[in-house]
Amino acid sequence: MSTSQDRLDFIEATAARAGRAAVAEVAAVVQRAISLRVNGERVRLDVDVRATLLDVVREQLQLFGTKKGCDHGQCGACTLHINGRRVVSCLTLAVMHEGDEILTVEGLEREGMLHPVQQAFIEHDAFQCGYCTAGQIMSAAALLNEPCGASDDDVREQMSGNLCRCGAYPNIVAAIQSARRGA
Ligand code: FES
Ligand code: FES
């Protein structure tokens, strides 16, 4: 005849087995295999369906040029291009981008030549600590192909989603205007 201690042991063991099975089931559900094209190269990887594109780019693809500032869509530090359009990557899930073309700052140069915006940022000393710079450059590179008025104010408006805690704004605008003139 089983004692009450035996019954308690049985209940605990059953609960532990059920817990392990549930954890395994959840782990299987939250992982998805996706395929992206990143900086011109096809990559396949398993991602957590809850992972942002920013976290996948930095932590799984080890592309640390794209920065995490606020992680809330407010600073623009995480800006990259998806299918040619600028996007704040902290606000989009990686799993939503099956087959998409992702461009990060590491992929901006062509055949060893800096992108005109990168070159202009250097020439106009458009950064101080540099934390916002990759996001600024990716936004500015996209801006070259967007409708935007000619004035500095138009550029400021188009770049208003990219914050710079160092206040390098005058030089950033000068760099972008210089790149636009050369574009
Ligand atoms: S980290 Fe994405 S907008 Fe700030
Ligand atoms: S250069 Fe430091 S935050 Fe912009």
Side-chain angles (χ1 to χ4, degrees):
M1 176 173 294
S2 64
T3 64
S4 36
Q5 184 58 51
D6 289 339
R7 283 195 294 277
L8 273 176
D9 289 347
F10 173 76
I11 290 167
E12 278 178 11
T14 304
R17 272 199 302 278
R20 283 195 296 274
V23 167
E25 200 172 316
V26 169
V29 168
V30 299
Q31 291 288 321
R32 281 280 183 283
I34 61 168
S35 170
L36 306 170
R37 199 165 170 81
V38 181
N39 298 333
E41 291 192 10
R42 178 69 59 196
V43 296
R44 297 176 203 283
L45 66 172
D46 290 330
V47 297
D48 188 313
V49 296
R50 301 160 296 183
T52 63
L53 183 59
L54 171 61
D55 284 342
V56 167
V57 162
R58 286 181 56 85
E59 293 169 19
Q60 288 186 248
L61 300 179
Q62 306 275 292
L63 293 170
F64 299 114
T66 306
K67 297 293 188 287
K68 182 182 283 191
C70 63
D71 209 18
H72 283 80
Q74 295 172 348
C75 73
C78 64
T79 303
L80 45 67
H81 297 184
I82 300 176
N83 299 330
R85 299 181 66 178
R86 52 172 153 161
V87 173
V88 282
S89 58
C90 67
L91 288 190
T92 189
L93 297 174
V95 73
M96 296 165 60
H97 296 288
E98 170 64 36
D100 282 353
E101 187 89 33
I102 311 295
L103 182 70
T104 71
V105 72
E106 289 90 346
L108 204 54
E109 65 169 28
R110 284 284 172 272
E111 296 167 2
M113 298 284 291
L114 291 178
H115 186 282
V117 171
Q118 292 174 306
Q119 189 63 44
F121 266 60
I122 293 170
E123 288 168 5
H124 290 268
D125 198 18
F127 45 85
Q128 291 178 36
C129 78
Y131 200 84
C132 72
T133 306
Q136 301 277 1
I137 286 174
M138 294 308 286
S139 270
L143 183 149
L144 297 189
N145 299 315
E146 295 170 0
C148 177
S151 72
D152 288 358
D153 277 349
D154 293 323
V155 171
R156 286 188 195 99
E157 175 67 26
Q158 295 282 96
M159 293 294 294
S160 60
N162 289 82
L163 305 184
C164 174
R165 286 167 291 189
C166 298
Y169 296 112
N171 297 31
I172 290 171
V173 172
I176 294 170
Q177 291 291 47
S178 165
R180 293 178 83 198
R181 282 191 293 275

